[in-house]
Amino acid sequence: MSEVRVIQCNAGNATLVWKYPFPKIIRGSVITVHQNQVACIYVNGVRMYTLEPGRNIVVDSAQLPYLNNALCTAAGGQQIYSFEVWYANMTCEHNIDWSINGESDGVYIVDSSIGAPLKLNASGQYRFKIYNAGLLMDKLVGTQTQYVATQVLKFLESQIKCLIIDIIMNVSKERQLTIQQILTQRREFNTILQLALNEELKHIYGLEITDFSIGQLSSSDYDAYLRHQRTGLGMRAEFAAQGEYYQKERNYQVLNNAALNPTVGTAVGAGIGIGVGNAIGQQIGAVAQDTVLGNSTPPPLEDAPTWHYAMNGRPSSPVSDSMVKDLISQNVILCDTKLWKPGLASWMPANQIPEFANLFMPPLE
């Protein structure tokens, strides 16, 4: 074995963790730690020392007392220590793509507004770096000698994915979020996920998520639900139109029965009086006028277009409650979009209107 007096890591920035390849180290060698690195010394698989950036330390039991247990004497009388030196690159950051599939990964959100679990698909990207070198290397000691970013990802990918799934499901349950809130309040949901994910990764793997983004969020189950709702609204409008047609037909039938009913003529001829006859005539005439001219007053619509929302500084055309909810789900109406309808004293943000407040994500605490 050649005598190596300087122990250092000069690997490129793509290398996150590097293990010094020689486990037998001569007394008097110098361990050098560059400014962007942290070095950890392991004896029999146990981390004994963590050396901070910029350190230069001589391998000697006087400098590193715990190495006494690792001291042995080689042929020729040389004093040699048996331990491992691992280096961590503390500035290396990499972007990693992530994705979850609601069906294959079992990501279901129990939507309280619908009363059923709905599949959620999501994908995006995150950037990570080492936060606690010792904690991460404790996970890796005894495995490979060198880790680049993609190899670390292979080691951690399934764990991080499971964490993302657990956090999505737990946060939605704790905050009682609906699928609509998750889909329309992506920025707030993104922040919640990054905070929760960082808390777990820092304590478990010694990694820090420096940036986390959701690029795509969708739910085929929720899309199907919306299509069903829109179909139901169309059918309701059709039934309402059929009901109006039926009422007109019923009025025509009243006229026809009155014209064919002989008792009306008999009653007038028997001396009931011209006043009563005129009253009956006026009633029938009113029915005829309303039916023919279409002047009958229809009942109020259950979902009449009464709302206006601010759009480019101008009020929109009137829209119904259901249309407002659709526009919220489509991210057209946001939490701070102003709405107004007759009866309100002034324009109000959408998330402060009781009819729509539950469609927006609660504020971060």
Side-chain angles (χ1 to χ4, degrees), residues 70-356:
L71 180 64
C72 59
T73 302
Q78 285 183 325
Q79 288 186 323
I80 295 176
Y81 295 95
S82 178
F83 61 89
E84 296 178 351
V85 182
W86 288 69
Y87 286 87
N89 187 332
M90 303 302 292
T91 61
C92 177
E93 293 191 30
H94 285 270
N95 289 321
I96 306 297
D97 294 327
W98 64 273
S99 66
I100 56 175
N101 180 280
E103 187 166 358
S104 60
D105 295 322
V107 184
Y108 288 86
I109 304 299
V110 180
D111 194 309
S112 57
S113 67
I114 299 174
L118 305 178
K119 293 190 294 288
L120 180 69
N121 301 320
S123 64
Q125 193 176 76
Y126 60 84
R127 179 185 290 267
F128 75 93
K129 70 175 184 178
I130 297 176
Y131 171 76
N132 185 323
L135 188 56
L136 175 62
M137 289 190 286
D138 287 349
K139 303 286 185 182
L140 305 178
V141 166
T143 56
Q144 300 184 38
T145 59
Q146 180 170 311
Y147 282 85
V148 296
T150 53
Q151 291 172 317
V152 170
L153 176 65
K154 290 178 181 178
F155 177 74
L156 298 171
E157 183 177 15
S158 60
Q159 288 89 335
I160 292 177
K161 185 174 182 177
C162 288
L163 280 176
I164 292 175
I165 292 172
D166 288 344
I167 290 169
I168 287 176
M169 298 179 70
N170 290 337
V171 166
S172 62
K173 181 179 180 180
E174 290 171 2
R175 292 175 173 262
Q176 297 183 332
L177 303 178
T178 65
I179 284 285
Q180 186 181 42
Q181 289 173 326
I182 293 174
L183 297 180
T184 58
Q185 306 297 305
R186 181 178 303 184
R187 182 171 58 186
E188 290 82 354
F189 194 60
N190 191 102
T191 302
I192 292 171
L193 289 186
Q194 180 173 347
L195 291 173
L197 188 60
N198 248 338
E199 184 177 352
E200 293 289 332
L201 287 177
K202 283 182 176 180
H203 290 90
I204 298 175
Y205 298 107
L207 294 177
E208 178 183 9
I209 301 295
T210 58
D211 186 50
F212 183 88
S213 64
I214 300 174
Q216 180 267 339
L217 270 176
S218 64
S219 173
S220 55
D221 288 346
Y222 186 65
D223 291 342
Y225 168 78
L226 288 180
R227 287 194 298 270
H228 178 74
Q229 287 291 93
R230 292 188 182 104
T231 301
L233 289 173
M235 293 177 64
R236 186 169 66 180
E238 183 179 349
F239 291 152
Q242 290 176 355
E244 182 180 352
Y245 175 77
Y246 170 80
Q247 184 61 43
K248 289 183 178 180
E249 286 294 303
R250 183 75 180 92
N251 290 343
Y252 278 120
Q253 189 63 40
V254 170
L255 283 173
N256 187 56
N257 289 342
L260 298 178
N261 190 347
T263 59
V264 175
T266 304
V268 175
I272 292 179
I274 189 68
V276 176
N278 285 340
I280 294 175
Q282 290 170 1
Q283 291 175 5
I284 294 176
V287 170
Q289 184 179 18
D290 286 343
T291 302
V292 175
L293 299 180
N295 292 332
S296 59
T297 303
L301 295 175
E302 295 181 6
D303 196 19
T306 57
W307 288 101
H308 298 265
Y309 63 93
M311 181 176 58
N312 298 325
R314 303 180 63 182
S316 69
S317 301
V319 293
S320 62
D321 282 37
S322 60
M323 181 58 71
V324 171
K325 293 177 182 178
D326 281 347
L327 292 173
I328 292 173
S329 69
Q330 297 166 19
N331 225 21
V332 174
I333 294 180
L334 306 177
C335 60
D336 57 352
T337 300
K338 299 294 183 62
L339 280 82
W340 178 87
K341 72 174 182 179
L344 291 182
S346 60
W347 292 77
M348 296 178 60
N351 64 352
Q352 295 182 19
I353 296 175
E355 293 94 320
F356 311 120

Side-chain angles (χ1 to χ4, degrees), residues 1-14:
M1 181 189 69
S2 61
E3 296 185 8
V4 180
R5 294 293 183 180
V6 178
I7 300 166
Q8 60 185 340
C9 172
N10 294 319
N13 201 45

